[in-house]
Amino acid sequence: MIVIEQQPKRVEVTVYAEFTLADYKEFENAVNFAIQFEGPVDLWFDLREMADFTLDVAWEDIVFARAHANDFSRIAVLTHSQWVAWSAWLSQIFVHAEMRVFDEEVEARAWLAEEEGLA
């Protein structure tokens, strides 16, 4: 299950339990909408409550990242899992955005706010 919040120039996603292909499609729709009307956006991924993801999500992430290589400014990934952190870094191969992995929400939000001139 995911919860998506649209912010100005940012899409925020929180994943709970298993991240499914249906969830990923919902994420894609939100991002495509934001990009269409705002240009490149920041992404916020809170994966601290994610228990697992399906194999088709991993594949869809690669396909989506390649198709949107220049559509993101910054990507903040919030996780306590070293495996999720490594897979986030692997995704960075396909995306030309600055990506950072954080343990603490305050640090991740501060980093995104720096770009906006709000920090």
Side-chain angles (χ1 to χ4, degrees):
M1 178 183 138
I2 64 170
V3 174
I4 299 173
E5 293 184 37
Q6 299 272 5
Q7 305 289 337
K9 301 289 283 180
R10 181 184 307 157
V11 176
E12 297 189 2
V13 179
T14 304
V15 179
Y16 300 95
E18 185 176 61
F19 196 12
T20 66
L21 185 58
D23 294 332
Y24 200 90
K25 294 293 187 179
E26 187 177 340
F27 158 73
E28 287 178 330
N29 290 336
V31 169
N32 286 330
F33 181 84
I35 291 168
Q36 179 180 359
F37 291 101
E38 299 182 278
V41 296
D42 291 338
L43 294 179
W44 158 271
F45 279 104
D46 185 346
L47 304 177
R48 294 174 294 177
E49 299 297 324
M50 182 178 75
D52 197 6
F53 58 91
T54 59
L55 185 56
D56 50 359
V57 167
W59 177 252
E60 189 67 20
D61 187 47
I62 292 169
V63 171
F64 185 77
R66 291 185 70 193
H68 294 279
N70 297 308
D71 291 333
F72 306 109
S73 300
R74 287 182 161 195
I75 303 171
V77 178
L78 188 57
T79 183
H80 300 302
S81 166
Q82 190 62 36
W83 171 247
V84 172
W86 279 107
S87 63
W89 288 114
L90 182 61
S91 294
Q92 191 174 13
I93 293 170
F94 304 110
V95 178
H96 301 132
E98 186 176 0
M99 180 184 294
R100 291 198 187 165
V101 177
F102 297 90
D103 289 327
E104 300 297 327
E105 182 173 345
V106 172
E107 293 172 9
R109 291 202 181 274
W111 177 69
L112 287 175
E114 285 174 9
E115 180 72 9
E116 300 165 351
L118 302 175

